Amino acid sequence: MPRHSQPRSPAVVHRTARAGLRLSRGQRRRLVGLLVSAGDVWACVLELNAWRRARQDAPLAGYQALCRELAASGPGCFGELDSAGARSVLRRYSDAWFAAAARRKNGDASARFPRRRHWMMPVRWHYGTFALDGRRLRIPVARGCPPLLVRLDRNLPYPPESVRSVTLLYDAGRLWADITAEVSVTVYPPGEQPDPARVAGVDLGIIHPYAVAGPDGQALLVSGRAVRAEHHLHLKDTKARRRAVARRAPKPGQRGSRRWRHYRRRQRIVEARHRRRVRQAQHEAASAVICWAVARRVGTLVVGDPRGVLGIDAGRRHNRRTRDWRVGHLISALSDKAQQAGITLTLADERGTSSTCPACRARIPKPRGRVFCCPRCGLSGHRDLVAAANIAGRLPGGITPAVTAADVTHRRAGAHLPGVSAARRDPRRRPHHGDVRGSPGRHLPAPPDTTGRGVARPTARTRKSATGELTKMCTRTPV
Ligand SMILES: [Zn+2]
């Protein structure tokens, strides 16, 4: 596989898909063994450089130099891990070291060289070392070891000849394979390719992850309510679990009980599932935006970047909201998909875009609800679409913002989330809908009011204090 493509060959991008692995017990043990051996390689490099530093030698960070050390160590040092897999760990170390060095050179004193050991490290195999046939993956192992053939748990979205590398990794109790492929940028029939002069503005939000205002008053709203519900349910569930096990939490310095370890393991699995769900929903939302843009031949997307103000402390509830938003992932997912579709994406400052009237440029206070209404010229519209139109106007030659959205397309993110349809009830939600099995039934109305309209019925506490007041008054009046 050549490292550099031929001149004038079609443009390509590299994209990665993650697949789970269907494994027997023995295969799982062997794969974990490979990852642990990779962790040993990493620890060896750290140790080597610690010795060199103690001797005041220059650190060994170049990839070739590290590979020479690996070759000098001879076969059989790292269990079943083959030299291509071990070299991928060296490449990872070298890249991390030089990235930190470059950041320190540019004055970022917080950048640190790699120094932490890991029990397991991800291993990557490049093209030609593994074999992928449909869902069957042959993972290379050291010479003399029995072959290792595993199955992926889903079909890959890429043609098999475009696959360039396979990465084996461990996340929250499960083994995964990241498959990276070389995907060509979409080629359109003549007359249907995106037109760079057609600009759409994108406003990022929590209720609407993407609100897009395009040319000719066309607009797209992607609803993120299912994602927000997922965040709320996850937080509620986590808090309930934490309360339930708080008694068993080990004191500092104490070893946790077996039940505590089970709880911690379960919590890691739940967290990972929550992360996967949100990530998938955000990818679906970004796909909806790109499909919409391609169908309307939009060639430039201007995205309002709110990341400048997210570091400001705004209280624990709002901090949690902005943290859950994961706006960096929203931007990167959209930018990756735009690049693959041949659409240019630029970032713009979004300050003041949701509080400026796109028609008369008047500054109005940020509306609390979803509807923007200008008191000066009477323009009214969806708040997020108004912001998106303003963002599009920030690009020189962007759309003339005064157009109000006439043709709004609605899409939802997170169609796969549990609880979005009646067929998949979310087990974290209290069941009270209809006569579902195990449901306590519909909420009943409050019992009829016997003490008169608008008067709070006395509870045990208020009744007692009221009689106390009455007796005090009674005893006081005769005196
Ligand atoms: Zn106005």
Side-chain angles (χ1 to χ4, degrees):
M1 200 56 222
R3 256 184 104 78
H4 298 284
S5 54
Q6 301 293 323
R8 286 192 300 168
S9 55
V12 290
V13 287
H14 288 90
R15 293 291 175 262
T16 300
R18 182 168 289 190
L21 297 170
R22 298 241 180 279
L23 301 170
S24 67
R25 212 169 258 258
Q27 287 173 333
R28 187 184 155 88
R29 201 177 54 237
R30 287 183 70 190
L31 290 181
V32 169
L34 289 181
L35 293 177
V36 172
S37 299
D40 291 348
V41 175
W42 180 267
C44 281
V45 179
L46 293 182
E47 190 110 325
L48 175 78
N49 276 330
W51 288 340
R52 291 180 75 94
R53 195 168 54 243
R55 287 202 305 257
Q56 300 189 345
D57 281 349
L60 205 60
Y63 175 63
Q64 267 96 19
L66 289 170
C67 284
R68 274 196 293 278
E69 289 292 326
L70 180 74
S73 72
C77 280
F78 297 108
E80 286 195 325
L81 191 66
D82 68 331
S83 57
R87 279 185 202 152
S88 78
V89 181
L90 302 182
R91 164 70 71 184
R92 194 178 283 273
Y93 178 86
S94 178
D95 288 352
W97 196 94
F98 281 107
R103 280 177 61 191
R104 288 182 79 88
K105 199 176 171 189
N106 290 334
D108 180 3
S110 70
R112 305 290 297 265
F113 293 105
R115 65 186 193 287
R116 189 171 285 194
R117 293 173 185 210
H118 299 279
W119 181 39
M120 293 194 245
M121 284 298 284
V123 191
R124 167 174 293 182
W125 288 280
H126 57 79
Y127 181 83
T129 55
F130 60 89
L132 187 63
D133 174 25
R135 291 191 184 187
R136 278 203 315 195
L137 173 66
R138 185 179 55 76
I139 289 182
V141 284
R143 189 172 297 162
C145 300
L148 187 49
L149 272 159
V150 298
R151 283 184 80 82
L152 305 180
D153 67 354
R154 65 168 177 135
N155 290 323
L156 291 174
Y158 315 119
E161 65 276 8
S162 69
V163 173
R164 291 292 169 262
S165 77
V166 169
T167 308
L168 178 72
L169 70 152
Y170 182 90
D171 182 31
R174 283 163 81 174
L175 285 158
W176 305 89
D178 272 358
I179 316 284
T180 303
E182 197 177 76
V183 185
S184 58
V185 172
T186 317
V187 181
Y188 298 90
E192 287 178 30
Q193 69 272 39
D195 177 7
R198 287 171 71 80
V199 179
V202 183
D203 180 56
L204 305 171
I206 295 175
I207 307 276
H208 296 105
Y210 300 108
V212 193
D216 317 325
Q218 289 182 324
L220 170 74
L221 277 173
V222 184
S223 166
R225 285 184 195 270
V227 182
R228 193 177 59 160
E230 166 67 27
H231 281 304
H232 284 178
L233 287 171
H234 175 69
L235 182 62
K236 201 177 140 199
D237 184 59
T238 309
K239 279 179 170 174
R241 283 166 196 273
R242 199 171 293 160
R243 265 198 302 279
V245 298
R247 265 183 320 118
R248 289 195 289 274
K251 307 275 175 303
Q254 197 183 23
R255 190 185 158 87
S257 65
R258 189 185 302 177
R259 280 176 84 180
W260 175 257
R261 285 208 310 277
H262 284 176
Y263 156 72
R264 293 279 300 155
R265 178 165 178 271
R266 179 75 199 146
Q267 194 55 36
R268 274 198 299 275
I269 291 170
V270 168
E271 285 287 342
R273 187 171 61 204
H274 170 68
R275 276 201 307 272
R276 283 201 301 274
R277 281 174 174 168
V278 173
R279 205 182 149 78
Q280 172 74 15
Q282 293 189 335
H283 272 293
E284 285 172 12
S287 292
V289 174
I290 296 301
C291 285
W292 178 90
V294 166
R296 282 153 190 80
R297 296 191 56 210
V298 169
T300 308
L301 288 175
V302 190
V303 181
D305 186 0
R307 282 176 292 184
V309 292
L310 292 188
I312 302 167
D313 185 18
R316 65 190 177 99
R317 277 170 205 278
H318 197 73
N319 287 350
R320 158 64 69 177
R321 250 175 250 149
T322 48
R323 191 69 56 84
D324 283 344
W325 188 14
R326 307 191 54 202
V327 66
H329 183 247
L330 280 177
I331 293 175
S332 65
L334 189 66
S335 127
D336 288 353
K337 289 182 206 304
Q339 196 190 3
Q340 196 180 337
I343 296 175
T344 318
L345 186 138
T346 52
L347 294 177
D349 183 17
E350 66 123 38
R351 205 165 301 162
T353 47
S354 58
S355 53
T356 307
C357 172
C360 65
R361 318 301 304 164
R363 286 300 296 263
I364 66 160
K366 185 172 177 170
R368 289 190 67 80
R370 290 287 122 196
V371 179
F372 177 96
C373 203
C374 175
R376 225 170 84 184
C377 70
L379 177 129
S380 109
H382 194 284
R383 185 183 93 182
D384 295 343
L385 294 181
V386 164
N390 278 328
I391 288 168
R394 296 223 162 154
L395 188 81
I399 53 169
T400 336
V403 186
T404 45
D407 174 17
V408 183
T409 314
H410 289 268
R411 288 284 175 272
R412 275 183 186 191
H416 63 289
L417 291 176
V420 290
S421 72
R424 280 194 74 196
R425 192 177 63 76
D426 194 330
R428 291 168 300 180
R429 210 183 271 277
R430 194 166 68 87
H432 62 81
H433 295 292
D435 28 79
V436 181
R437 207 155 64 87
S439 155
R442 289 198 175 279
H443 286 304
L444 296 173
D449 199 355
T450 50
T451 54
R453 209 179 146 78
V455 179
R457 270 172 292 157
T459 61
R461 200 164 54 94
T462 53
R463 201 178 298 130
K464 193 177 154 202
S465 68
T467 47
E469 283 295 318
L470 204 65
T471 44
K472 248 185 267 170
M473 277 164 73
C474 291
T475 47
R476 209 178 294 144
T477 25
V479 178

